[in-house]
Amino acid sequence: MNAEKIESWIKKLGFNYDELISQGVVFDNVLEALYPDADLLDMDLETGVSLSFWAETKKLETLFVTLKKTMPEVIEYTGALPLPFALEMTQSEVHAIFGEPVESRGPVRMPEPMGQTGGWESYPLDPVVYPGKKVTFQYTSAMEVKTLVFTLIDKGHD
């Protein structure tokens, strides 16, 4: 996958699964629930890149790009990213580019095998290019970006 493809997926946030099929951007793959009656349905696009749909409407809500392996089963994305994103970023670099986050949560100790996290921070994306969308940077305990989470600002549900 390349930077242009990642950018196109960010722009497709908010589209319905059937619309994405009719546009030829996804094939009629099985959307997977992590557990019975889950609110979200997931699809892996490529190594380290996945999509999440709201189960009730099948609206695409989230694009995950995994940059750091934090658990044994996690696979990292190694392709290109649209600027200003990079495969290697620290919290300091994120602050230099994006400024102060609009939402954040500090480090949290999770059950093993996750262990200590570095928390997360969210920023709205350029409203001209990506209307109604934001990015959340999830950090490792060393404050390196482990996951880029592109999502809708208003999902229309809790």
Side-chain angles (χ1 to χ4, degrees):
M1 194 167 288
N2 59 34
E4 292 80 22
K5 192 69 171 170
I6 296 286
E7 186 172 13
S8 75
W9 279 111
I10 298 167
K11 290 178 178 178
K12 293 197 183 307
L13 291 170
F15 281 65
N16 179 280
Y17 182 67
D18 292 331
E19 292 174 309
L20 297 173
I21 291 171
S22 69
Q23 293 174 10
V25 295
V26 294
F27 298 104
D28 195 1
N29 296 335
V30 175
L31 296 174
E32 298 179 21
L34 290 177
Y35 53 88
D37 298 322
D39 290 335
L40 299 172
L41 302 172
D42 300 317
M43 177 194 322
D44 290 333
L45 282 180
E46 181 177 297
T47 301
V49 181
S50 61
L51 303 174
S52 188
F53 295 81
W54 183 246
E56 187 176 321
T57 62
K58 291 193 178 174
K59 181 169 73 172
L60 176 59
E61 292 190 344
T62 310
L63 167 69
F64 297 91
V65 182
T66 302
L67 305 180
K68 296 280 181 208
K69 183 179 184 97
T70 55
M71 295 187 299
E73 69 276 5
V74 172
I75 302 173
E76 301 168 340
Y77 173 71
T78 58
L81 293 168
L83 293 175
F85 305 100
L87 295 177
E88 297 283 335
M89 297 178 79
T90 64
Q91 184 184 47
S92 298
E93 292 167 328
V94 169
H95 288 180
I97 295 167
F98 291 92
E100 287 298 312
V102 294
E103 297 175 281
S104 66
R105 173 176 274 186
V108 174
R109 178 102 183 128
M110 300 293 288
E112 292 302 329
M114 285 188 71
Q116 186 66 43
T117 73
W120 56 265
E121 297 175 324
S122 292
Y123 300 84
L125 292 171
D126 182 337
V128 174
V129 180
Y130 306 107
K133 296 163 181 103
K134 68 180 179 177
V135 61
T136 299
F137 296 89
Q138 295 178 342
Y139 298 106
T140 66
S141 59
M143 303 315 285
E144 298 170 311
V145 177
K146 73 173 183 174
T147 310
L148 296 171
V149 183
F150 298 96
T151 191
L152 299 171
I153 291 172
D154 181 7
K155 295 178 181 175
H157 61 82
D158 292 332

